[in-house]
Amino acid sequence: MKTAPEHRTRFGVRHPEWIENALWALALRNEWSGYQLRQHVRPSESSAASRRDFSV
Amino acid sequence: MPGPFWSWQRFGRTSTSLPDGRVIHIAGEHEDFYDRDFCIYNDVVVEYAGGDREFYLYPKDVFPPTDFHTATLIGSHIWLIGSLGYRDLRRHGETQVLRFDTRTLQFETLETAGDGPGWISRHTTERIGENALLVVGGNIQTSEGYTPNAHVFELDLTTLMWRRRPHGDEAVFPVSAADYHAFRSPRYGSGNPEVSLNPFWLAMTRRRWRPSRARLHYGSEVDAGKSTRTEKDVVWTAVREGALTVSLPNGRTLLIGGRILDYGDEGADAWIYNDIVVTAPNGDIHVATYPKDVFPHIVCPVGVVQGQHVVMFGIVDRGYHPDRTRGPAVLRLDTGSCAIEPIDAGEPPLRVNLYAGCETRDGERIVFPNVRQNAADLELGIPFDLSSLSWGQPVPYRHPCPLEE
């Protein structure tokens, strides 16, 4: 099973899959956009990340 | 490949409050295809009464990425109708119907049949009776395009069969199409007040329908543009912005004035109301209407109760009253008879700023903030004396923050 970085969106693998994610919780509290979460984690990934095919 | 960065800034998400205090937030989308964090979500966030939140993810074949759907709570299930979704995953002619179990947090895909809306999104869903949902408005994606839904659809929740309901169906809304056309618009009264039992107004008040909802029900087109609109082109509603609400000691509530803005979903029915919707403790409703010189069209109304009267202040809309000054107009409402008496208080010494929560009452004196053109202008208050019904000279006054409506 591939695991996405914890700041990134992914599909679940169970029905349902409960996850704990401190970064998402922070983004939710602050009502952050994806861009604002990017600014927060300062990732090294290129901007060419897929927009769609991110399923596990 | 890695997905977009997770976002809570979403459109087309639903949030459903449960009787146990939880709020179920379902899916929605962030940004658009050109944004590297564009995503249509298929997740659920469970928010607990204490503020804790839990994240739940789903396989996409169990819960497809979904946005601009509706969520209707029935018992322990949330019925999800429609979705816009990713362009290449839209199934023309089908309607996405999912049922979410609030106990297990699991989704179930439901196969429906009959005369359904097709691939619908941005619509409204209402429960009708015990076992049916009514779907109105929104847009339908077909192979030809994304076009407004002009029909009313009902889904029977026991048989999962769709059927169309006729426009103006009195089993849905208890006013005939003929009465809608006869009674649908705002009217000025000829007395002070003229009490109206307009059946359309009363039903609109009870159902809390906005004008757009009534138009969808009756299949009624927008009648005129802004520049040519008169009251005859407007659909009346009791769901208004900036209305003054007064709860009286005898249990009656008064909804005074208010407006519909000329933009947004209800922009076709923009109006400034000069009437009062009176609701008795037993639920009886009547509407007090007035000539516009007795109750001018005012915005940002502020009211203070003084014995059996409400003294009202409001900025006069000069579009309706080009011959009057901005004011504020000062009016005294007798809460027993609903008669309105204009108070000739003259012009205040400074321009008064009115907004919800702007005033402070100190006995018989009410202080209103002044209009500040820029940050260098002093924060001042303009007092109004309820005994003499006159404006006083400006005083230092810390301007209150506006209240949220």
Side-chain angles (χ1 to χ4, degrees), chain A residues 7-9 11-12 14-19 24 28 31-34 36-38 41 43 47 51-52 54, chain B residues 1-9 33 35-37 42 53 55-59 62 86 88 106-107:
Chain A
H7 45 273
R8 291 188 181 277
T9 303
F11 294 125
R14 289 184 299 282
H15 182 202
E17 178 187 356
W18 174 60
I19 66 158
W24 293 7
L28 190 154
E31 301 210 354
W32 278 348
S33 65
Q36 287 166 307
L37 185 57
R38 266 176 206 283
V41 299
S47 62
R51 295 178 174 82
R52 273 290 301 280
F54 51 86
Chain B
M1 295 181 73
F5 275 50
W6 191 87
S7 174
W8 192 240
Q9 280 189 7
F33 66 92
D35 189 280
R36 59 177 160 172
D37 293 314
N42 72 328
R53 281 116 164 187
F55 299 94
Y56 292 88
L57 305 181
Y58 296 84
V62 166
Y86 290 113
D88 56 335
Q106 291 185 320
F107 285 92

Side-chain angles (χ1 to χ4, degrees), chain B residues 260-311:
Chain B
I260 301 296
L261 298 170
D262 65 359
Y263 55 85
D265 291 344
E266 307 303 328
D269 294 292
W271 192 250
I272 298 176
Y273 287 86
N274 70 329
D275 58 14
I276 300 178
V277 181
V278 181
T279 305
N282 66 359
D284 286 350
I285 296 167
H286 69 265
V287 182
T289 61
Y290 302 87
K292 62 180 179 179
D293 58 334
V294 171
F295 186 179
H297 301 77
I298 56 175
V299 295
C300 310
V302 168
V304 291
V305 177
Q306 187 192 36
Q308 71 161 29
H309 294 95
V310 177
V311 181

Side-chain angles (χ1 to χ4, degrees), chain B residues 340-363:
Chain B
I340 288 177
E341 173 192 3
I343 302 298
D344 184 9
E347 291 292 311
L350 293 175
R351 280 163 67 94
V352 171
N353 193 9
L354 294 184
Y355 53 87
C358 69
E359 80 283 14
T360 302
R361 183 169 184 176
D362 177 14

Side-chain angles (χ1 to χ4, degrees), chain B residues 51 104 125 185 191 197 223 254 273 328 339 371 405:
Chain B
T104 64
T125 300
S185 298
L197 296 174
D223 306 275
L254 309 178
Y273 287 86
V371 172
E405 285 195 44

Side-chain angles (χ1 to χ4, degrees), chain B residues 35-110:
Chain B
D35 189 280
R36 59 177 160 172
D37 293 314
F38 168 52
C39 183
I40 302 176
Y41 288 83
N42 72 328
D43 60 2
V44 169
V45 175
V46 179
E47 180 177 348
Y48 290 88
D52 288 346
R53 281 116 164 187
E54 292 177 345
F55 299 94
Y56 292 88
L57 305 181
Y58 296 84
K60 61 184 176 184
D61 57 336
V62 166
F63 179 29
T66 294
D67 57 350
F68 301 104
H69 55 289
T70 56
T72 308
L73 179 68
I74 298 180
S76 56
H77 291 88
I78 296 172
W79 289 70
L80 270 65
I81 307 291
S83 172
L84 184 55
Y86 290 113
R87 183 176 293 272
D88 56 335
L89 297 179
R90 297 171 192 167
R91 303 187 300 277
H92 302 162
E94 293 182 37
T95 306
Q96 179 172 294
V97 179
L98 303 169
R99 190 166 55 187
F100 177 77
D101 190 321
T102 61
R103 299 160 299 185
T104 64
L105 308 184
Q106 291 185 320
F107 285 92
E108 179 185 3
T109 300
L110 300 175

Side-chain angles (χ1 to χ4, degrees), chain B residues 353 355 368-372 378-381 397-401:
Chain B
N353 193 9
Y355 53 87
F368 296 97
N370 63 317
V371 172
R372 297 170 72 215
L378 290 175
E379 275 192 20
L380 295 171
Y397 183 56
R398 181 74 180 270
H399 293 181
C401 293

Side-chain angles (χ1 to χ4, degrees), chain B residues 195-213:
Chain B
V195 173
S196 173
L197 296 174
N198 178 318
F200 178 73
W201 295 358
L202 302 190
M204 288 288 279
T205 303
R206 291 196 176 93
R207 292 289 284 274
R208 296 195 55 74
W209 272 13
R210 298 175 193 277
S212 61
R213 180 66 189 88

